[in-house]
Amino acid sequence: MAGLIRQGDVEEVKARTNIADIISDYVSLKSAGVGSMKGLCPFHDERSPSFHVRPQVGFYHCFGCGESGDVYSFLQKMDHVSFSEAVERLAGRAGIELHYEGGGAEAPDHTNRARLYAANQAAAEFFIDKLSSPGAQVGRTFLGDRGFDAQAAERFGVGFAPKSWDELTKHLRGRGFSTEELTLSGLVSAGDRGIYDRFRGRLVWPIRDITGQTIGFGARKLLEDDKGPKYLNTPETPIYHKAQVLYGLDLAKRDISRNHQVVVVEGYTDVMACHLAGVTTAVATCGTSFGVDHIKVLRRVLGDDSGVGEVVFTFDPDAAGQKAAVRAFAEEQRFSAQTFVAVAPEGLDPCDLRLHRGDDAVRRLVDSKKPMFEFMIRQLLAQYNLDTVEGRVSALRAAAPVVSDIRDPSLRPGYTHELSRMLGMDLGEVSRAVSSAQARSRTAPLDAPRRAGEPAPAPRERLFALAELPQDPVTRIERDALMAMLQHPILVGLDLVQRAVSTGMTNSTLAVVRDAVAAALPHAAAPDWLERVVAETPAPLANLVTELAMAPLPERTEREVTRYVRDITIVLIEKDLLRQKAELLGRLQRADATNREVYVAIQRELVRVEAERRNLRVE
C-alpha cells in the first residue's frame, strides 16, 4: 500500500491550481478589486457577499462566519473528502503524476470517496454504451417518443441499464472495484441470492454534482414486469445526498450565473427539454422536494445578493403540483432574487410542451411567468366562496399574511390594491388586515427558548476580527500598511517591508501581526507566504492575519495598487520617523548645552531621521 503523498507534489499541485477556478464551481464570484474576488459564502447562509478569494495568495476567507483556508481545505469542507483525496482530485485535473513516500506513482487502493466517484463514472460509461445495444430498443423508443434523438441522449449522458441480474456488477468487478465499493456507491443491492444490479431494464440519467462528477443515477421504469417505482434513484451514499443535489446544475451553472436566472422544473426530461429549447438555466430536484439545501446551492450560483435575479418555478397544475408550489413558497423568503411561477397551458410539463408545440413554446412559458406572490394569492382565494361575506372575510385572513410578507415595501401597496380588487372589499379594510398581519410577524419570537435542562451551546473560541479594530486614524494607517505588506510584499519592496516591520505600532494587536510578518519575511516570495505568517502568529490572532490578507484594497487597477501599497507602507514608516523626530527634539530641549558631545549626537540623529524621511519619497 502506498504511503503519504510527497510534499513536493502537494506544493506543485497547489501552485498549478487557480483557487478561483475551483471555488467558481460552487460559488458565483465577482471582482472585488485587483486580485480579489467575492461571492456568497458556501459555509453559511447570507444575503450580502462576505466570502473573499485571492487567487494570487491562494486563500479564501469569509468575513461573516470566519471560515478560511486554501484550495485543499475548501474541497475538504465542501465535498467532505480527506486531504489526500483533495490533492488527488486536483492532481488529476492538472495532469500531475503523484508520488507516494514508500511507494510508486499509484494512488492508495482503498475504499474512499475517490473510488466511489470512479465507480459511478465507470457505471455511467457502461450505461451509455448499452443504450445502443439491441436490448435497449425500449429505451431508445421512450426517448424518441419524447422528442429526444441520439445527440440529445449523448449531451445529457443518458444510458440504459440492461435487464440483467448482475451484468453491471460483473463489468465493474472486472474494472477492479470491490463488492464493498459497489455497495457503498449504491450501484448494487444485496438480497437472498447475493449481490445484484440496483438498476435493471431502465433508462438511466447520470446525476452529477456541480463540478460535473457523476455521483449517482436516476432510472425510469420501462418494462411492464418491472414492479419497482416509476423512478428509482441512487440511495444516500457518502457522495450522493439528494437534498443537496440539483439535476442539470453542472450544465446550467454558467448561464445561471451569467443571466442571474434559474428555472426549477420537476423532472429529468423537463430539464432536457428546456436546455434543448434554449432555456439553459433549467435544473430539477432528484426524487425529493425543493428545500432549504437546494436554495443554499442556488443562491451561491446565482450570486443572490443584489435582488436582481430571477427564480422561476414550473409546476404541474394538478394536486401534486399545487403542493410543490406551497412548499416552494414557504422557503421563498430565503432568496434575495425575485421568485416567479410559470404554469404551462393544458397542464403540459416542459417536455410535453416542447413535444407538442415546439421549442418556442417552452421559451414563452418562462417568459410568461407570474410573480410567486400573485400566484399564491390566487391559489388561496380559489379555496373560498367569494360570493359570500363569510368567504371573503376568511379569504382576506388567509391572504393578508402573504401580502405582508412581501420583502420589497414598494410592492406591498400594489398587491394590497390587487387583493382588494380580487375580493371586492374596501381598500381600507384590506390595508388594515395586511398591516395587522405585518405587526404580528414582527413580534414573533426569533428563536425557540431552550428546554429546561438542555445544555447551553458550547462557546466558540474567541477570534480577533478586523471589524473590531479601533477606527482612529493611526490604527487605520497601521492596519492598511499591514494589509499591503501581507497581500503584496514584493510590490511593496522587501527593503521597504523590512524597514516597516521595525516601526513602532500604537495598537498592540497589530504589533503582534507586525512581528509575525517580520519573522516570516525571508519567505515573502514563497507560494506559502501567508501560511508562514499565520504559523508565526499566536492562535487567537490567526484569523485577524487572514482577514488582513484577504480584505479588499481601495484601488481598482494594478498600477494603482502598486503605487498604493508602497505609499501606505511609506506613510507607516513616516509616522514612526515623525515619532522619533519628536522624541529627539524633546531630548534636545532637555539636553545640557554645555555637554557638547551629547548635543551634537542628538542633532546628527535628527539629521539622519529627516534625511531618511525625505529619501522615502524618492522614486
Side-chain angles (χ1 to χ4, degrees):
M1 177 176 169
L4 297 174
I5 303 172
R6 290 181 187 174
Q7 185 59 33
D9 289 351
V10 172
E11 293 171 357
E12 181 183 1
V13 170
K14 187 174 178 180
R16 287 171 58 179
T17 299
N18 185 327
I19 188 173
D21 291 342
I22 302 303
I23 293 179
S24 291
D25 284 335
Y26 303 81
V27 180
S28 178
L29 296 174
K30 304 173 184 176
S31 174
V34 176
S36 179
M37 308 183 81
K38 67 179 180 180
L40 292 173
C41 179
F43 302 111
H44 82 288
D45 206 11
E46 61 177 1
R47 291 202 174 273
S48 298
S50 57
F51 181 80
H52 286 251
V53 180
R54 282 196 172 274
Q56 290 181 331
V57 179
F59 255 69
Y60 65 88
H61 180 79
C62 176
F63 289 86
C65 68
E67 286 285 356
S68 63
D70 60 10
V71 67
Y72 295 138
S73 65
F74 182 83
L75 286 179
Q76 285 179 268
K77 293 171 183 175
M78 285 300 300
D79 290 344
H80 308 288
V81 298
S82 68
F83 176 79
S84 295
E85 289 166 343
V87 178
E88 288 163 359
R89 182 186 297 185
L90 294 177
R93 180 181 176 127
I96 298 173
E97 182 181 61
L98 295 177
H99 300 83
Y100 297 80
E101 295 177 353
E106 296 300 319
D109 185 17
H110 56 83
T111 300
N112 55 31
R113 293 172 63 91
R115 293 288 291 170
L116 302 188
Y117 284 117
N120 276 280
Q121 181 57 37
E125 294 167 359
F126 172 85
F127 292 140
I128 290 172
D129 181 63
K130 291 299 177 181
L131 184 61
S132 59
S133 67
Q137 182 58 51
V138 62
R140 296 193 295 272
T141 300
F142 178 92
L143 290 172
D145 288 346
R146 282 154 182 78
F148 303 124
D149 57 16
Q151 188 176 2
E154 181 181 358
R155 175 174 173 179
F156 293 91
V158 183
F160 182 76
K163 188 182 180 183
S164 167
W165 181 257
D166 59 358
E167 188 172 345
L168 174 64
T169 302
K170 289 178 179 177
H171 174 78
L172 293 179
R173 279 176 171 166
R175 296 280 298 271
F177 294 99
S178 68
T179 299
E180 179 187 3
E181 290 168 340
L182 298 182
T183 303
L184 197 59
S185 68
L187 292 168
V188 303
S189 301
D192 295 338
R193 295 169 54 189
I195 299 299
Y196 61 92
D197 295 352
R198 178 177 177 82
F199 308 113
R200 303 187 306 281
R202 287 175 174 251
L203 203 60
V204 179
W205 284 263
I207 299 172
R208 303 180 180 117
D209 65 14
I210 196 170
T211 68
Q213 295 189 99
T214 302
I215 57 176
F217 297 91
R220 210 286 188 181
K221 179 168 69 173
L222 300 172
L223 304 174
E224 297 255 345
D225 59 354
D226 188 338
K227 303 305 181 185
K230 182 177 179 180
Y231 280 96
L232 179 66
N233 288 343
T234 294
E236 293 287 305
T237 74
I239 63 173
Y240 176 74
H241 305 286
K242 63 182 179 181
Q244 301 171 8
V245 176
L246 287 162
Y247 176 74
L249 186 58
D250 59 308
L251 301 174
K253 63 184 179 184
R254 299 296 182 191
D255 285 345
I256 290 173
S257 177
R258 184 183 301 116
N259 301 334
H260 302 289
Q261 182 199 66
V262 62
V263 178
V264 182
V265 298
E266 294 196 336
Y268 307 128
T269 56
D270 292 333
V271 171
M272 293 176 68
C274 284
H275 280 255
L276 293 171
V279 182
T280 54
T281 57
V283 298
T285 59
C286 301
T288 186
S289 302
F290 188 81
V292 175
D293 288 335
H294 295 126
I295 293 173
K296 290 179 180 178
V297 172
L298 286 181
R299 290 195 68 233
R300 294 195 298 266
V301 179
L302 270 170
D304 183 34
D305 59 284
S306 61
V308 299
E310 294 182 353
V311 182
V312 183
F313 294 92
T314 66
F315 297 116
D316 293 338
D318 59 16
Q322 300 307 309
K323 288 179 65 177
V326 171
R327 284 194 297 267
F329 179 70
E331 304 295 346
E332 186 273 345
Q333 293 279 6
R334 295 179 182 271
F335 284 109
S336 290
Q338 298 300 308
T339 53
F340 299 87
V341 174
V343 178
E346 301 175 20
L348 298 175
D349 58 32
C351 180
D352 288 335
L353 187 64
R354 174 176 179 265
L355 183 64
H356 296 297
R357 302 191 181 182
D359 291 347
D360 189 55
V362 177
R363 295 190 292 270
R364 287 199 307 271
L365 168 65
V366 177
D367 291 340
S368 66
K369 61 189 180 294
K370 302 294 183 184
M372 172 74 87
F373 283 100
E374 178 182 332
F375 175 82
M376 286 308 301
I377 290 170
R378 292 187 182 278
Q379 293 300 310
L380 281 172
L381 298 188
Q383 301 173 26
Y384 299 92
N385 181 2
L386 302 185
D387 292 332
T388 67
V389 174
E390 292 80 5
R392 290 193 293 273
V393 171
S394 296
L396 176 59
R397 288 173 180 163
V402 176
V403 177
S404 73
D405 281 344
I406 296 175
R407 288 189 305 272
D408 189 342
S410 64
L411 294 177
R412 230 174 276 136
Y415 275 104
T416 302
H417 276 271
E418 186 65 12
L419 179 57
S420 172
R421 186 192 62 77
M422 292 178 183
L423 291 171
M425 297 178 70
D426 179 70
L427 176 60
E429 184 178 357
V430 175
S431 297
R432 286 191 295 273
V434 171
S435 298
S436 178
Q438 193 173 3
R440 284 195 300 272
S441 67
R442 285 176 183 155
T443 57
L446 295 179
D447 295 295
R450 204 163 59 242
R451 295 185 180 92
E454 183 180 344
R460 295 184 65 182
E461 180 183 0
R462 171 74 169 89
L463 299 176
F464 286 83
L466 192 58
E468 297 176 3
L469 292 173
Q471 293 299 306
D472 61 279
V474 173
T475 302
R476 288 204 301 269
I477 290 172
E478 296 171 355
R479 176 201 66 192
D480 293 349
L482 282 171
M483 285 169 55
M485 289 183 278
L486 282 166
Q487 295 180 25
H488 299 285
I490 304 304
L491 290 183
V492 173
L494 296 185
D495 290 343
L496 207 57
V497 175
Q498 182 68 63
R499 175 65 186 85
V501 295
S502 65
T503 63
M505 287 195 170
T506 60
N507 186 280
S508 58
T509 300
L510 293 177
V512 175
V513 178
R514 173 206 60 197
D515 294 342
V517 172
L521 190 56
H523 308 284
D528 60 348
W529 154 245
L530 178 57
E531 293 164 286
R532 290 179 181 270
V533 178
V534 170
E536 297 289 347
T537 309
L541 297 182
N543 179 73
L544 177 60
V545 172
T546 304
E547 290 195 346
L548 289 166
M550 301 299 295
L553 297 176
E555 305 300 330
R556 293 295 173 183
T557 68
E558 190 168 348
R559 183 174 181 181
E560 289 173 341
V561 167
T562 302
R563 178 174 292 277
Y564 170 79
V565 295
R566 285 187 59 84
D567 283 352
I568 192 61
T569 306
I570 288 172
V571 169
L572 176 69
I573 298 171
E574 286 178 330
K575 177 179 74 69
D576 191 61
L577 291 172
L578 288 172
R579 175 188 58 79
Q580 293 182 42
K581 182 177 179 180
E583 291 176 355
L584 289 168
L585 288 172
R587 286 176 55 194
L588 192 65
Q589 275 188 325
R590 297 189 298 273
D592 185 352
T594 61
N595 190 339
R596 189 67 181 168
E597 184 177 346
V598 171
Y599 199 81
V600 170
I602 295 174
Q603 286 184 320
R604 285 175 179 166
E605 188 63 13
L606 273 169
V607 171
R608 184 199 66 77
V609 167
E610 186 59 29
E612 182 177 354
R613 193 168 72 88
R614 285 198 305 270
N615 290 336
L616 283 173
R617 295 291 177 177
V618 176
E619 294 290 340

